Amino acid sequence: MKRAFFILAALLFALTACEVESPYSGFRAHFVFDATIHPYNQAKSPGQFICVRKGANIGQYRLFDALGNETKVNIPQIQLQQSPFHYGLGGLIIGTPMAMDGNMWAFDWACPNCEKASSRLNIDRNLGHGICPDCGVKFDLNSGGIAIEGKSRPMWQYRIFGPDNSLVIQN
């Protein structure tokens, strides 16, 4: 009887130890863009990342291009009615990592260690790193958003897909 108990306990431990945490965020995201139009096209260049977050007004978002320049974008009313945009917890970071398969990635702009919308990563656009201003953890956007300084889970990701150059980010 004791042996059966130990076998069952070992089996349960092994099953829970093998559980893999999903890289995808549980925060709501839905963002549609045309990757051929400036400044969105910058995100298709290896090592370049743009950032998007909710604007101050309804129907508006703020876009930060690969150089960090800000543009306020108004969303057409018809698009808002069809499918409202959602920006995850802290906003979205969209780009194509260096020396990868050429596919674009989308991350949450908020630090996964702090888990606050206000803890947006400062982006070092030359190195492709994100640094949390609150906890100091540094993430590598070119390597799947893993922590390279400090201790944290990897950055939250969102699925990015679409036909041709009209892309959708969502979870």
Side-chain angles (χ1 to χ4, degrees):
M1 187 66 150
K2 286 183 180 180
R3 183 175 178 165
F5 173 76
F6 286 116
I7 291 172
L8 180 62
L11 182 62
L12 286 174
F13 178 75
L15 289 175
T16 58
C18 293
E19 186 177 312
V20 177
E21 187 176 336
S22 172
Y24 296 108
S25 173
F27 297 102
R28 190 168 183 196
H30 179 78
F31 185 72
V32 180
F33 64 102
D34 183 340
T36 62
I37 299 173
H38 181 77
Y40 307 102
N41 62 347
Q42 295 174 2
K44 291 191 84 166
S45 298
Q48 300 297 309
F49 295 89
I50 61 172
C51 301
V52 179
R53 64 185 268 207
K54 185 177 181 178
N57 300 322
I58 294 175
Q60 184 182 77
Y61 62 88
R62 297 168 61 189
L63 185 138
F64 300 84
D65 68 15
L67 298 174
N69 301 316
E70 180 181 357
T71 303
K72 292 180 180 162
V73 180
N74 293 314
I75 305 166
Q77 188 64 32
I78 188 77
Q79 194 170 8
L80 282 174
Q81 292 170 350
Q82 291 172 347
S83 185
F85 285 6
H86 298 280
Y87 308 93
L89 178 60
L92 302 170
I93 300 173
I94 308 162
T96 304
M98 293 284 292
M100 296 296 278
D101 57 10
N103 290 326
M104 295 178 72
W105 288 10
F107 300 102
D108 200 296
W109 199 349
C111 174
N113 190 46
C114 296
E115 294 190 34
K116 298 185 303 188
S118 61
S119 294
R120 281 185 202 88
L121 304 177
N122 295 323
I123 307 300
D124 181 331
R125 296 172 195 291
N126 293 323
L127 298 175
H129 293 163
I131 304 158
C132 180
D134 294 335
C135 70
V137 174
K138 183 187 286 186
F139 300 90
D140 187 352
L141 301 175
N142 290 301
S143 297
I146 61 170
I148 55 174
E149 284 183 20
K151 192 170 184 178
S152 175
R153 69 174 305 284
M155 294 171 64
W156 293 303
Q157 294 180 31
Y158 295 101
R159 289 172 182 86
I160 184 167
F161 59 91
D164 302 320
N165 290 306
S166 178
L167 299 173
V168 178
I169 294 172
Q170 70 184 72
N171 58 347

